[in-house]
Every structure is written in C-alpha cells, then in structure tokens.
Amino acid sequence: RECNVYTLYALGFGIGGAMQVHRLQAAGHDGVRVYLRRMAVLRVIGLLHSLLIWDGDILTLYALLGALLPWFARKPDRALLAWAAALVWVVPLAGKALFDALGWNPGGAIIAASLDLFAKMGGDPELDAAVRWLQNSGWREQLAWSSSGTLYSWGLRIETWRISKVLGIMLLGLWAGRRVVQGGLLADPRLLRRI
C-alpha cells in the first residue's frame, strides 16, 4: 500500500509541476524560477518536518527530485518516457546487480549507522523497547530519535532504490501534465487508463 501512495504522489507531483510552470509562464512570469523557489521552500519545510516531527518525511525527497523536473521538461516526449522507464526499471535492477557484485550496500550502511546512533542515545533498536524508551523520554531524546530515524529513512530509500523510482514516476507525471496542459489527457479515457 505504501508503494501505491508513493506512486500516486509522485505522479501527481509531476503533473502539478508541469501545470504550475505552464500557468506561471502563461501569466508572464518566469515559471521555472518561481517553481525552483517553491522547491527550495518545500525543501526547508521537509527538513524541519523530518527532524522535528516525522522521520518518514517525503517532502525533502520530493523537493530535491522536483528541482530536477525543469531540466527534464526540455526533453521531447519520447526521451521523457525513456528516462522514466529507465529510472523506474533499469536503474534499480542494474544498480542492485552492480552493488551486489561489488559487495557494496550504501543503504544498509546508512541504516546500520542510524541504529548505532540510536543505541548510543540509550535506545534499543527492538521496536517494543524503542517505544517504551520514547514513552519515558524528554524532548531531547525525541529529537535524537527523529534525527536517527531520518538517517534510517534515507538509508531505506537508497537500499530500495526508491529515489530513482520516484523520479521516474515524476517524469511520467510530467509527461501526463503536458497532456493536461494541451487539453488531451482528460478527454482521452484510454490514455488515462494506460497512465
């Protein structure tokens, strides 16, 4: 279910990015500049959210990847779809095979470092013990938990190749956003089903 949520958010993010830039440019603004400024603000909000509220934050990831969309927006449709397919399927499979062959697991190393950090703070990585620790802790411990959890969350994203997959789905959304702007997506039920 979490995968479906990420997919829908990433697709919607790409569609929204295409529509925002188009509308800003139609109104006579520098659409890309305004869009990139919005991504910078979203990045700050995401970092604060990640460190202070919830370590599973996706705003930072979306802001970082969203800042790449204007570069991809200059690509023709076929190239955009090829990039999307490569990022969703080829990069994760080839990357995992390469990392396995090299014996390198950067995501696992980051996850291990986050668990070590949590243990140094006095926490126990076992979930029940961690929950008890959090229930009896103050704000400093809560902040430390969020910090180690943020590190853990990024390690998990690297280990599962979620970063390239999310960017690929955003690119599919960018392509679909072009269709919305041109008025061709919502009027084409067959294309909507395929997306």
Side-chain angles (χ1 to χ4, degrees), residues 74 114 117 132:
R74 293 183 289 216
S114 72
L117 177 63
R132 281 193 303 280

Side-chain angles (χ1 to χ4, degrees), residues 5-195:
V5 171
Y6 268 92
T7 302
L8 290 174
Y9 283 162
L11 187 67
F13 201 90
I15 292 170
M19 292 175 66
Q20 280 181 51
V21 171
H22 173 75
R23 287 183 179 157
L24 286 163
Q25 288 174 337
H29 302 287
D30 183 348
V32 171
R33 191 168 145 237
V34 173
Y35 174 80
L36 290 174
R37 189 171 49 223
R38 289 177 178 177
M39 291 302 101
V41 170
L42 185 62
R43 205 166 29 252
V44 170
I45 293 169
L47 287 170
L48 290 172
H49 182 245
S50 179
L51 294 173
L52 301 175
I53 299 172
W54 185 51
D55 54 19
D57 168 76
I58 62 169
L59 300 176
T60 306
L61 174 64
Y62 280 50
L64 291 169
L65 297 178
L68 299 174
L69 293 183
W71 182 82
F72 284 103
R74 293 183 289 216
K75 305 285 182 208
D77 283 352
R78 284 182 186 256
L80 195 58
L81 292 173
W83 271 102
L87 288 165
V88 171
W89 289 294
V90 177
V91 170
L93 294 173
K96 178 148 179 40
L98 176 65
F99 284 7
D100 287 350
L102 296 173
W104 191 46
N105 184 358
I110 293 170
I111 290 170
S114 72
L115 293 174
D116 287 346
L117 177 63
F118 183 56
K120 286 177 185 171
M121 293 182 286
D124 185 335
E126 292 298 318
L127 184 60
D128 290 342
V131 169
R132 281 193 303 280
W133 181 77
L134 280 170
Q135 287 171 338
N136 298 318
S137 64
W139 70 269
R140 284 188 177 93
E141 290 84 5
Q142 297 282 339
L143 182 60
W145 164 266
S146 287
S147 299
S148 69
T150 296
L151 188 61
Y152 180 90
S153 180
W154 277 95
L156 192 59
R157 289 176 186 145
I158 291 168
E159 189 171 63
T160 61
W161 292 88
R162 183 171 288 162
I163 296 169
S164 71
K165 293 174 191 174
V166 167
L167 180 57
I169 294 166
M170 281 182 178
L171 295 182
L172 182 60
L174 184 62
W175 176 83
R178 287 180 180 173
R179 308 274 98 44
V180 170
V181 166
Q182 295 165 356
L185 179 63
L186 301 179
D188 188 346
R190 202 171 121 234
L191 182 58
L192 271 173
R193 279 191 298 275
R194 282 191 0 225
I195 292 172

